[in-house]
Amino acid sequence: SLIEAALDSGAALSEPISQLVAAGVDVPAALEDQAQGVPTLGALRESFPDAARIALAVSVREDAGPDIWSRITTFFRSQSGARSLTPRAGDDPDAVLSRAEADLRAADLPNAVAELKSLPEAGQAAMSEWVTRAERRVQALEAVATLKRLVE
């Protein structure tokens, strides 16, 4: 459909939405609210690493323990920006980000967003813009699925 093509390319949805409205279709608000376009999966994948590096750095600092060795280790981890690129078990910020990125690679945005909610507050704040963009895409995809069910 034209809407799905626009979602894939990031093009404006205003024309396909207008056509649906003219045909008497009740277009979900999640689509109408994003008539100027929805973030593409490619754009979300491309912007994730930079946001994740920042989120990891601030999360690691927030989680630093009180002893000197913990603070030294935290300092070097936050300076290096190194993070896991394969999914890891655990609840530390690096593991959370690694699983979220694996979900993103698998095009599972709802799980990626849910995973990021377990970051420390500072990490969540660093990822908030990315999460907002991902949630916009999820809402648009859900609205398209709803439309398909209505039309069938």
Side-chain angles (χ1 to χ4, degrees):
S1 80
L2 291 175
I3 287 189
E4 289 172 312
L7 287 176
D8 288 344
S9 70
L13 300 170
S14 50
E15 183 59 33
I17 288 173
S18 295
Q19 291 174 7
L20 289 171
V21 170
V25 176
D26 187 20
V27 177
L31 283 180
E32 286 188 308
D33 293 347
Q34 301 187 68
Q36 297 308 310
V38 176
T40 65
L41 186 58
L44 291 168
R45 285 177 174 156
E46 187 177 304
S47 62
F48 187 89
D50 288 340
R53 273 191 286 282
I54 294 167
L56 180 59
V58 297
S59 294
V60 168
R61 282 196 296 269
E62 186 175 302
D63 283 353
D67 63 88
I68 189 72
W69 182 247
S70 176
R71 290 197 309 258
I72 290 170
T73 303
T74 297
F75 172 78
F76 285 115
R77 281 188 68 203
S78 68
Q79 294 302 306
S80 74
R83 61 186 187 84
S84 298
L85 299 178
T86 56
R88 292 192 315 105
D91 59 1
D92 63 280
D94 187 41
V96 169
L97 289 163
S98 73
R99 291 191 304 273
E101 190 163 18
D103 289 334
L104 175 59
R105 281 193 300 269
D108 189 346
L109 288 176
N111 273 346
V113 168
E115 198 65 68
L116 294 171
K117 292 182 188 311
S118 61
L119 285 172
E121 274 187 46
Q124 287 184 47
M127 293 298 299
S128 66
E129 183 180 329
W130 187 93
V131 166
T132 298
R133 293 174 61 233
E135 287 174 333
R136 284 183 49 213
R137 181 162 184 82
V138 168
Q139 291 165 358
L141 292 171
E142 289 171 351
V144 168
T146 299
L147 270 177
K148 281 182 163 181
R149 284 191 300 274
L150 293 174
V151 174
E152 291 174 350

